[in-house]
Every structure is written in structure tokens, then in C-alpha cells.
Amino acid sequence: TERTFSILKPDATRRNLTGAVNAVIEKAGLRIVGQRRIQMSRQQAEKFYEIHKERPFFGELVEFMTSGPVVVQVLEGENAVAKYREVMGATNPAQAAEGTIRKLFAESVGENTVHGSDSAENAKAEIAQFFQDGDIV
Ligand code: ATP
Ligand code: MG
């Protein structure tokens, strides 16, 4: 069993979709073992997406991620990292497969409803940025 890090982005909280997204996550067999609703600071968002800091959309991405509350989550299950990437669907919702979270709910490549770690190593670091061990049960 493995853990991954998830964020329900501001477009999800704004449209009151957190329960609907969680239903898809749980239906896929992933267990929500940590969950907290937070307002990300600019500093937190810049650190979180540091890998993209030279990309042209970085400023827009940080603006968006701090534009409203997000729900940070730890998901657990068999091959959780890869499984959640599959459940999320492609970054661009126009290219996302049927039944995926981004196909069901996302409206644009920028405001695409969810984040999921892209490797087990990144999952560990991302979980550590937002959760203490005792808050994952
Ligand atoms: P995430 O890291 O959020 O799970 P991802 O791994 O599918 O998404 P990345 O390439 O890591 O995609 O991009 C990170 C985020 O940056 C995307 O989810 C999206 O919100 C934003 N983004 C990516 N490409 C673009 C783009 N061309 N224009 C605007 N925003 C973009
Ligand atoms: Mg990514």
C-alpha cells in the first residue's frame, strides 16, 4: 500500500464540488486518510509549484491556487500515486478520459480541479509540506 498527496483546487471549493470529487476518489478504492481545508499563502503556493517557476503560466498558477480555499489530502491505497493520476485524468480536461475527475468537473487546463503527486518520492515531500504524521490516520 502507498500514499499520495492530493489537492482539491479553488475551482472545486468555489463550485461546492468537494464531496462530488471525494466520491470519485473513494469509488476508485482510494482511502482519504488525511484531509484539511486551508487557504494557501502565496509563499506556500510558490514553494509547492517551485518546479514550474520558469514556466510562462507560473504567475497565473500561483494566483489561482491562492484565489480561494483548497482541500489538501493524503490518499492511501494499492499503487496510490499511479492510480490517482489515472482517476484525475489528463492535465487538460479536453484530453481527459471519460469518467475521470478532470473530464467530469474541470473547465480549463489552468483551473483543473485537482492536483496529484507524480511520483512516490514527490508524494512524500508534498505530504510533509502540509501534514504532520499524527494527522494521518
Ligand atoms: P498537478 O501538478 O496540478 O497535479 P499535472 O501534474 O497534471 O497537474 P503539471 O504539468 O504538473 O500538470 O502542471 C501543474 C499545473 O499547472 C496544472 O495542473 C495546471 O493547473 C497548471 N498548468 C499546466 N499547464 C498549463 C498551461 N499551459 N496553462 C495554464 N496552466 C497550466
Ligand atoms: Mg504536476
Side-chain angles (χ1 to χ4, degrees):
T1 184
E2 188 177 65
R3 284 176 177 172
T4 192
F5 179 70
S6 161
I7 304 177
L8 312 188
K9 296 184 179 183
D11 66 297
T13 60
R14 190 175 295 128
R15 290 180 291 153
N16 220 16
L17 290 172
T18 63
V21 174
N22 277 351
V24 178
I25 290 170
E26 291 184 330
K27 198 159 192 183
L30 290 163
R31 188 171 296 275
I32 302 164
V33 295
Q35 179 166 253
R36 202 153 44 86
R37 181 166 162 123
I38 62 167
Q39 171 65 50
M40 259 199 212
S41 66
R42 166 167 293 273
Q43 194 180 13
Q44 272 177 317
E46 285 175 349
K47 181 181 172 195
F48 184 75
Y49 277 122
E50 191 164 30
I51 188 172
H52 295 306
K53 70 170 181 288
E54 305 304 334
R55 307 278 283 274
F57 56 81
F58 182 71
E60 190 186 321
L61 178 57
V62 169
E63 268 315 302
F64 170 59
M65 291 301 289
T66 57
S67 69
V70 301
V71 177
V72 292
Q73 303 177 311
V74 180
L75 308 181
E76 190 174 273
E78 241 5 84
N79 297 311
V81 172
K83 179 178 270 186
Y84 190 45
R85 295 289 296 189
E86 203 178 299
V87 171
M88 286 164 51
T91 307
N92 183 347
Q95 278 144 32
E98 286 303 322
T100 62
I101 292 168
R102 284 165 168 169
K103 177 70 176 190
L104 287 167
F105 303 116
E107 286 176 324
S108 69
V109 63
E111 307 201 357
N112 59 5
T113 312
V114 281
H115 161 81
S117 309
D118 57 12
S119 71
E121 192 188 348
N122 286 340
K124 277 208 174 69
E126 291 172 3
I127 289 168
Q129 191 185 335
F130 292 96
F131 285 90
Q132 312 227 274
D133 287 346
D135 294 330
I136 304 171
V137 291

